[in-house]
Amino acid sequence: MSEDVYVIGTDMIRFGRFEDATPPRLAAKAALMALDDCGLSIRDVQAVYSGNCTETMVGQRTLQLIGQTGVPVVNVTNACATGATAFREAWIAIKAGLYDIVLAVGSEKMGKGMLVPKNSGGTPIPSEGLAGSNTMPAVFAQMGMEHSRAYGTTFEQFARVSVKNHHHSTLNPKAMYQKETPLEEVMGSEMMAYPITKLMCSVNVDGSAAAVLCSARKARELGLTGRAVRVRGSGLASDPFSERNLVQADVNTVTRLAARTAYEMASVGPQDVDLVELHDCFATAEICHYENLGLCGEGEGGRFLDSGATTLGGKVPVNMSGGLLSKGHPLGATGIANIYEIVTHLRGEAGARQVEGARIGMTHVVGLGSACAVHILEKV
Amino acid sequence: MSAEIQALKPVMPYLGQADDGTPYLIGSRCDACGQTHLGRFENCPRCTARGKLTEIHLSEKGVLYNYTIVYRSLPGVTVPFISAVVDLDGGGTVKGNLLDVDPSPEAIRFGMPVKMVFREADTAVAGGEGYVSHFFVPAN
Ligand SMILES: [Zn+2]
């Protein structure tokens, strides 16, 4: 295999709502923070991969704010897997031997309210509510109901995911929200689509995150291996055919495919993973992804959560950042923000929320359409 | 089928109309792998076969595979409603609103038999006058 690739610098802005923010301004901030994290300059960067779901040429417009060095810039969009895809492309470029130092940055300026897919079916009138629902809460409510159907998972178990992730976020100064949400509050908040209440939906926020990737050789030359984290496995998958996928979005099968690729490349198994940042866009999804990522057996996701295994101090803490449910979910930035969280733990720099002794961490994002990216990172 | 329904235009692209205007669900069956898909396909997303798909009419009967009860939707959509995923007898899966059932988890049973009915779209969404859509009701 070709040379190892390290993450040598990474950072994210605190997620929030910023009235006059633009994607390039958000991206510029995170990019400079990530460069500062490893003491490099934009002049050291040989290529840029920029993730954003809504605007065009964000990568170039970012360089117009921090230095137009003329390096290749590639703009990436891949639904909720956008940031992770930009990160992966940066990794591929170094793996290919073309560059030693590459910047991956993700940004998003979010609107308010519920996400509904655009009328891409080209129907004469909008079809939402006419032939079932395609709102994001409804899609992920059905994901949970399918799990309930198969394994008896309850509304309360799904709600406990939200309680846990909001609890974790109280330890993360970069999360949008940092407050506890007791079970009664989660279950009692406005019902969006059964079994998903408002507090079981990810938070629409503006945000950005960036990572500086570097060949192992160059990192040694620069003396930057001390806080470096190795990319041990990377899996990206599109949705393979599954029975009902085109009618009822199936993010399980695509996640399993990407996870298998990443595990095989990393030559590790789920038992080796010390912490995970996974795509809790809705509380129901987290329980399904425990199984999809192999963290527990089939049908055991609800009990795995109940056991405390995925809470700080448990066997494999999940979404220590507060997750998309509480840290927030700026689409194009999310995949790189997850990388930042894992790298921070592997470096031992996560403060109050530190997962002690973490050596291997995993990130997972999945976007409808569908795209799933899984990365396995290891302390150097 | 009433003449009024037959005169309405379908909203969903997989809803076809017979010569007299009677709506039906369009399906495609792959001669190579046997998979039934909802709507028209030239090539098979399951087995990659090219040009082996035969257009068929899908069944109007099936069983409830999955659902959610939608409380928050877009402006103009009547809530709450049951968004149902139905496995059709003989193959194919389609999403539609389940009517004539109390929108509560206690009243809805996975696997319950359902049948399709066609109604004017304005019963579910504002601005639906003149259009027809498929809905499901319990089949007893
Ligand atoms: Zn086929």
Side-chain angles (χ1 to χ4, degrees):
Chain A
M1 191 97 188
S2 53
E3 200 186 1
D4 275 346
V5 175
Y6 294 167
V7 178
I8 54 170
T10 181
D11 212 335
M12 60 179 274
I13 65 164
R14 183 186 168 183
F15 289 174
R17 297 199 177 103
F18 311 110
E19 283 307 320
D20 51 1
T22 63
R25 281 157 86 171
L26 292 166
K29 204 177 269 184
L32 291 178
M33 287 163 74
L35 287 165
D36 287 348
D37 182 51
C38 54
L40 295 182
S41 145
I42 190 64
R43 283 189 302 276
D44 298 311
V45 171
Q46 298 166 291
V48 176
Y49 290 84
S50 166
N52 182 276
C53 292
T54 44
E55 295 193 11
T56 56
M57 305 303 267
V58 171
Q60 286 85 346
R61 290 159 59 207
T62 300
L63 289 191
Q64 287 158 19
L65 298 174
I66 63 174
Q68 291 175 272
T69 57
V71 298
V73 173
V74 177
N75 294 287
V76 176
T77 179
N78 216 6
C80 299
T82 292
T85 304
F87 179 86
R88 179 183 150 89
E89 291 299 319
W91 168 80
I92 289 173
I94 295 172
K95 273 282 185 199
L98 286 177
Y99 316 112
D100 284 309
I101 301 176
V102 179
L103 173 70
V105 58
S107 63
E108 210 70 51
K109 173 87 180 92
M110 299 288 288
K112 277 190 181 163
M114 209 165 38
L115 292 183
V116 183
K118 294 196 182 80
N119 193 10
S120 55
T123 51
I125 60 169
S127 62
E128 174 55 30
L130 183 58
S133 181
N134 284 307
T135 66
M136 293 298 114
V139 166
F140 285 91
Q142 285 186 338
M143 182 185 191
M145 291 303 281
E146 191 175 37
H147 201 270
S148 295
R149 176 193 172 114
Y151 306 114
T153 320
T154 64
F155 173 30
E156 182 178 323
Q157 283 174 311
F158 292 129
R160 285 190 188 281
V161 170
S162 220
V163 175
K164 170 182 74 75
N165 292 354
H166 280 96
H167 169 63
H168 286 166
S169 75
T170 63
L171 306 170
N172 181 7
K174 296 200 181 215
M176 167 75 181
Y177 293 124
Q178 291 150 29
K179 63 172 199 239
E180 302 283 354
T181 55
L183 183 63
E184 315 77 68
E185 200 180 314
V186 173
M187 293 179 78
S189 67
E190 183 190 348
M191 184 62 75
M192 307 290 286
Y194 184 84
I196 287 176
T197 66
K198 193 160 188 187
L199 285 177
M200 295 160 74
C201 302
S202 53
V203 196
N204 282 350
V205 296
D206 310 328
S208 59
V212 181
L213 291 85
C214 185
S215 65
R217 184 190 55 78
K218 187 73 177 177
R220 281 192 296 273
E221 192 182 305
L222 294 169
L224 289 173
T225 52
R227 292 166 70 243
V229 163
R230 177 184 292 115
V231 181
R232 224 173 125 162
S234 173
L236 176 68
S238 61
D239 47 337
F241 179 84
S242 69
E243 193 63 30
R244 302 177 185 84
N245 182 22
L246 299 180
V247 171
Q248 171 190 274
D250 169 16
V251 295
N252 297 313
T253 311
V254 69
T255 292
R256 285 166 192 243
L257 182 54
R260 194 169 67 228
T261 306
Y263 279 130
E264 279 172 11
M265 187 183 295
S267 301
V268 299
Q271 71 284 352
D272 301 311
V273 173
D274 298 310
L275 80 160
V276 177
E277 288 285 303
L278 62 73
H279 203 73
D280 60 330
C281 52
F282 293 88
T284 47
E286 178 162 321
I287 285 182
C288 300
H289 291 318
Y290 292 160
E291 295 166 28
N292 296 331
L293 298 174
L295 305 180
C296 67
E298 297 298 331
E300 291 170 10
R303 284 191 299 282
F304 195 59
L305 173 86
D306 292 341
S307 76
T310 59
T311 308
L312 179 59
K315 185 180 154 208
V316 52
V318 171
N319 288 330
M320 284 313 309
S321 66
L324 284 49
L325 290 170
S326 192
K327 175 178 63 179
H329 183 23
L331 310 181
T334 291
I336 300 180
N338 285 0
I339 301 268
Y340 162 80
E341 181 69 16
I342 295 297
V343 168
T344 302
H345 284 270
L346 297 180
R347 286 170 162 179
E349 298 174 358
R353 68 184 189 286
Q354 176 68 40
V355 173
E356 290 304 327
R359 294 202 58 84
I360 293 183
M362 170 183 265
T363 62
H364 159 261
V365 285
V366 59
L368 284 189
S370 296
C372 179
V374 173
H375 285 95
I376 296 173
L377 305 173
E378 179 191 34
K379 191 173 184 162
V380 170
Chain B
M1 184 75 43
S2 75
E4 283 128 66
I5 292 292
Q6 289 163 312
L8 301 172
K9 289 194 288 287
V11 177
M12 305 309 287
Y14 51 77
L15 207 57
Q17 282 176 302
D19 289 344
D20 66 357
T22 303
Y24 65 92
L25 286 185
I26 300 167
S28 301
R29 182 159 292 147
C30 178
D31 299 331
C33 74
Q35 183 70 37
T36 299
H37 305 284
L38 174 69
R40 291 193 178 96
F41 283 78
E42 273 182 51
N43 309 306
C44 183
R46 178 171 186 245
C47 77
T48 75
R50 296 168 62 171
K52 299 262 192 217
L53 288 134
T54 305
E55 194 169 314
I56 57 172
H57 289 213
L58 297 179
S59 172
E60 296 188 1
K61 288 183 179 158
V63 294
L64 181 69
Y65 174 72
N66 198 7
Y67 72 94
T68 177
I69 304 161
V70 179
Y71 292 86
R72 176 89 85 86
S73 187
L74 298 187
V77 175
T78 308
V79 289
F81 67 94
I82 304 166
S83 173
V85 175
V86 173
D87 285 344
L88 301 167
D89 295 350
T93 298
V94 66
K95 206 188 264 190
N97 297 6
L98 176 61
L99 311 177
D100 301 347
V101 179
D102 184 31
S104 82
E106 292 74 33
I108 307 167
R109 193 166 49 78
F110 292 117
M112 67 190 275
V114 296
K115 65 179 182 192
M116 209 180 303
V117 294
F118 295 97
R119 307 228 170 123
E120 190 164 6
D122 68 349
T123 55
V125 298
E129 296 84 1
Y131 292 97
V132 63
S133 192
H134 63 288
F135 297 86
F136 291 97
V137 296
N140 293 310

